[in-house]
């Protein structure tokens, strides 16, 4: 138990630091590509223990988001997106529940429930999160098309990076 | 206490989400210039739309009042109009008779057109100066003659009543006649007593003649639809199409004649 909290804390520090110190300044190109951004910190919220109470999950989301916001200088945008995605996580987990159900002791990773499940879980979670970020950034139905294509762009980039880091950090199946 | 805990375990996530989501939204709007402007503009727009809608609703509820005040206004204008007509008519009367008529606006609260003798109820009575014998007109025609009046209501003999007779003039020919209903088509009156040598054309306008204390002269009644001379008769039989659709009207003006008493005394004294 003690060990598990250490892992989550460490993951929190590493991912948030990575996000605000490195990924914040990474842009894939000029023109329309400059709206492409990589958001990796949601991985921390995704990986929080399965049994964690929804209220606490939402609080963790808010805390993470507000710290990211401090560095992005966008008060409330990442906090709001994290609160939303954390709140919807139990629902999303329920929707994509594997046939065998969840084992509450296992962590929500690729190794626990398999590659297919993990891709669906992280892909869906990232999509909700990034859609919320773009919605709160552009903040108007008037920009609906911009919101959607920026979401698609950022989602694709973030998803690739998330997948790669998972392969790199846990090379064994 | 237990219930509260159960409630918090079950809905704690939702409550926290609403609270922290609300805070995030507040932060977004409060500290981000672009979002702040969008927020202010949109909220102004939507509150404007909402205000407009509630205003429309309020106006709608005031509609009856507005219609009443417009009817008052109309009555005043009609009074002045007939005043003007009286001044400009060639056989002008002495000044004291010019403002002989004034109008009381009234609402029709009961009406029929299908009986042989139709009657109408109005929402004005003796309290408003209405007495039996007064004429009732519409904005585009003649409605009838007051038959009886209580303090707040009055009963009107419709022109669609076989016992109602209205004196009319064919404007182009200048001939007089009496209009009456046959009890059949509620859009048609029959005009009689017009001598057969009078040149009448289909489409001629019929107005009130003013040959009584009931209606002022010049109120439009209808147009000639067709006419013929019945065999053995010396007068024309003219079908007059009414301007007014009596089935659809709901506002009327009661014509008050200032010298009503005087005229009646004079006529009864003979």
């Amino acid at each position: 138990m003690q060990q598990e909290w250490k892992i989550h804390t460490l993951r929190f520090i590493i991912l948030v630091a990575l996000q605000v110190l490195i990924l914040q300044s990474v842009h894939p190109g000029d023109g329309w590509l400059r709206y492409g951004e990589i958001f990796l910190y949601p991985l921390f919220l995704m990986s929080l223990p399965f049994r964690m109470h929804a209220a606490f999950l939402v609080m963790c989301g808010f805390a993470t988001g507000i710290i990211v916001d401090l560095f992005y200088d966008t008060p409330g945008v990442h906090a709001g997106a994290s609160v939303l995605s954390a709140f919807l996580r139990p629902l999303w987990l329920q929707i994509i529940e594997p046939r065998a159900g969840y084992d509450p002791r296992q962590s929500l990773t690729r190794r626990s429930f398999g590659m297919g499940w993990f891709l669906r879980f992280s892909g869906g979670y990232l999509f909700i999160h990034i859609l919320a970020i773009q919605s709160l950034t552009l903040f108007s139905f008037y920009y609906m098309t911009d919101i959607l294509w920026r979401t698609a762009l950022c989602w694709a980039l973030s998803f690739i990076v998330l997948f790669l880091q998972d392969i790199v950090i846990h090379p064994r199946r | 206490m237990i219930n509260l805990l159960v409630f918090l375990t079950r809905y704690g996530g939702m409550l926290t989400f609403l609270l922290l989501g609300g805070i995030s939204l507040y932060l977004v709007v409060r500290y981000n210039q672009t979002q702040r402007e969008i927020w202010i503009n949109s909220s102004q727009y939507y509150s404007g739309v909402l205000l407009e809608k509630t205003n429309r609703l309020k106006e709608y509820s005031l509609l009856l009042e507005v219609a009443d005040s417009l009817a008052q206004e109309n009555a005043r204008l009609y009074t002045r109009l007939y005043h003007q007509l009286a001044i400009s008519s060639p056989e002008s009367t002495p000044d004291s008779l010019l403002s002989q008529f004034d109008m009381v606006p009234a609402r029709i609260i009961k009406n029929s057109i299908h009986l042989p003798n139709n009657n109408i109820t109005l929402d004005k009575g003796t309290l408003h100066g209405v007495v039996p014998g007064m004429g009732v007109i519409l904005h585009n025609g003649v409605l009838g003659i007051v038959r009886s009046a209580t303090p707040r209501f009055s009963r009107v003999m419709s022109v669609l009543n076989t016992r109602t007779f209205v004196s009319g003039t064919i404007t182009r020919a200048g001939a007089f006649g009496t209009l009456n209903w046959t009890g059949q088509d509620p859009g048609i009156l029959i005009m009689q007593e017009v001598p057969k040598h009078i040149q009448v054309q289909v489409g001629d306008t019929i107005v009130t003649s003013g040959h009584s204390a009931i209606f002022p002269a010049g109120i439009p009644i209808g147009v000639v639809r067709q006419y013929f001379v019945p065999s053995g008769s010396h007068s024309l039989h003219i079908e007059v199409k009414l301007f007014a659709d009596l089935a659809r009207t709901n506002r009327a003006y009661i014509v008050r004649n200032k010298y009503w008493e005087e005229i009646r005394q004079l006529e009864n004294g003979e």
Side-chain angles (χ1 to χ4, degrees):
Chain A
M1 202 64 190
Q2 200 78 35
Q3 194 65 27
E4 202 183 339
W5 282 115
K6 273 184 194 161
I7 290 172
H8 285 297
T9 313
L10 197 65
R11 189 185 278 132
F12 172 77
I13 293 167
I14 291 173
L15 282 174
V16 171
L18 188 69
Q19 183 70 48
V20 300
L21 298 180
I22 298 169
L23 295 178
Q24 187 183 358
S25 49
V26 172
H27 290 276
D30 290 329
W32 60 274
L33 270 178
R34 74 171 183 256
Y35 295 111
E37 284 181 276
I38 297 160
F39 299 108
L40 202 57
Y41 74 92
L43 182 61
F44 162 69
L45 299 170
M46 274 180 231
S47 319
L48 283 171
F50 176 70
R51 299 188 63 183
M52 192 179 237
H53 189 271
F56 196 47
L57 204 59
V58 170
M59 286 180 211
C60 285
F62 185 76
T64 315
I66 208 79
I67 289 170
V68 174
D69 275 332
L70 286 181
F71 290 92
Y72 270 74
D73 199 23
T74 54
V77 172
H78 291 275
S82 305
V83 163
L84 180 73
S85 63
F87 174 69
L88 292 177
R89 194 184 85 156
L91 189 72
W92 179 230
L93 280 172
Q94 210 179 329
I95 291 169
I96 58 160
E97 184 166 5
R99 197 162 295 161
Y102 294 109
D103 182 349
R105 284 164 304 178
Q106 283 183 301
S107 55
L108 297 167
T109 59
R110 176 165 61 97
R111 279 159 301 138
S112 309
F113 300 104
M115 175 70 93
W117 177 87
F118 183 71
L119 288 183
R120 257 183 296 156
F121 172 57
S122 55
Y125 191 99
L126 261 183
F127 183 78
I128 295 168
H129 191 94
I130 292 173
L131 183 64
I133 290 176
Q134 299 300 348
S135 303
L136 286 171
T137 306
L138 293 171
F139 212 61
S140 171
F141 289 119
Y142 181 78
Y143 299 121
M144 202 63 208
T145 44
D146 293 72
I147 290 174
L148 289 178
W149 78 255
R150 284 191 202 183
T151 302
L153 180 63
C154 296
W155 177 81
L157 291 170
S158 308
F159 195 47
I160 292 167
V161 173
L162 187 137
F163 182 68
L164 289 179
Q165 71 82 32
D166 201 48
I167 298 288
V168 169
I169 292 175
H170 310 288
R172 285 178 296 122
R173 168 80 173 85
Chain B
M1 195 61 204
I2 298 283
N3 283 341
L4 186 68
L5 282 177
V6 169
F7 178 80
L8 280 181
T9 349
R10 187 166 297 169
Y11 297 108
M14 175 69 88
L15 291 176
T16 325
F17 166 68
L18 290 178
L19 179 70
L20 295 179
I23 291 174
S24 305
L25 207 60
Y26 171 75
L27 291 175
V28 169
V29 172
R30 180 74 184 75
Y31 294 107
N32 295 272
Q33 194 58 35
T34 326
Q35 283 94 323
R36 185 181 172 75
E37 277 161 16
I38 292 174
W39 175 268
I40 290 172
N41 281 336
S42 320
S43 54
Q44 272 170 358
Y45 172 73
Y46 287 114
S47 63
V49 168
L50 198 71
L51 274 178
E52 198 189 316
K53 289 256 189 287
T54 45
N55 244 358
R56 290 273 293 274
L57 213 64
K58 239 186 266 171
E59 272 173 20
Y60 186 77
S61 66
L62 289 175
L63 224 54
L64 205 65
E65 246 171 75
V66 171
D68 279 338
S69 76
L70 284 176
Q72 298 269 3
E73 184 74 25
N74 274 348
R76 272 202 299 280
L77 290 174
Y78 275 129
T79 308
R80 288 186 61 176
L81 177 66
Y82 293 124
H83 192 149
Q84 288 292 333
L85 284 176
I87 292 171
S88 59
S89 70
E91 62 271 20
S92 69
T93 39
D95 283 353
S96 60
L97 288 174
L98 286 183
S99 52
Q100 186 181 350
F101 297 103
D102 68 344
M103 311 282 160
V104 181
R107 269 182 38 221
I108 297 171
I109 56 180
K110 188 163 178 286
N111 191 2
S112 72
I113 60 165
H114 299 297
L115 307 172
N117 292 312
N118 294 296
N119 289 300
I120 296 161
T121 308
L122 300 180
D123 71 341
K124 293 282 153 53
T126 51
L127 283 179
H128 310 93
V130 179
V131 293
M134 286 179 168
V136 183
I137 61 170
L138 303 165
H139 71 280
N140 58 351
V142 171
L143 185 66
I145 297 163
V146 177
R147 206 174 65 171
S148 57
T150 59
R152 282 178 192 80
F153 300 98
S154 51
R155 198 90 172 114
V156 173
M157 251 163 79
S158 172
V159 285
L160 302 183
N161 186 318
T162 52
R163 275 174 264 160
T164 308
F165 293 88
V166 177
S167 174
T169 307
I170 303 167
T171 43
R172 206 179 52 80
F176 305 112
T178 304
L179 291 121
N180 181 228
W181 191 48
T182 57
Q184 283 145 13
D185 186 340
I188 304 289
L189 293 187
I190 304 299
M191 191 178 190
Q192 278 166 326
E193 298 169 17
V194 180
K196 65 178 175 185
H197 68 269
I198 299 289
Q199 295 290 315
V200 181
Q201 281 177 12
V202 171
D204 279 357
T205 307
I206 315 287
V207 299
T208 52
S209 65
H211 285 181
S212 70
I214 298 174
F215 295 110
I219 293 169
I221 297 175
V223 291
V224 175
R225 198 174 74 154
Q226 65 179 61
Y227 64 94
F228 58 90
V229 186
S231 56
S233 171
H234 292 287
S235 58
L236 291 165
H237 177 101
I238 304 172
E239 284 186 13
V240 178
K241 175 98 185 73
L242 291 176
F243 287 127
D245 182 355
L246 265 59
R248 289 183 185 204
T249 187
N250 67 350
R251 299 215 166 239
Y253 304 93
I254 301 165
V255 181
R256 226 163 25 177
N257 188 338
K258 217 188 269 179
Y259 306 115
W260 175 257
E261 275 303 314
E262 197 178 325
I263 294 168
R264 210 183 53 169
Q265 274 173 14
L266 179 67
E267 287 176 350
N268 288 351
E270 281 174 5

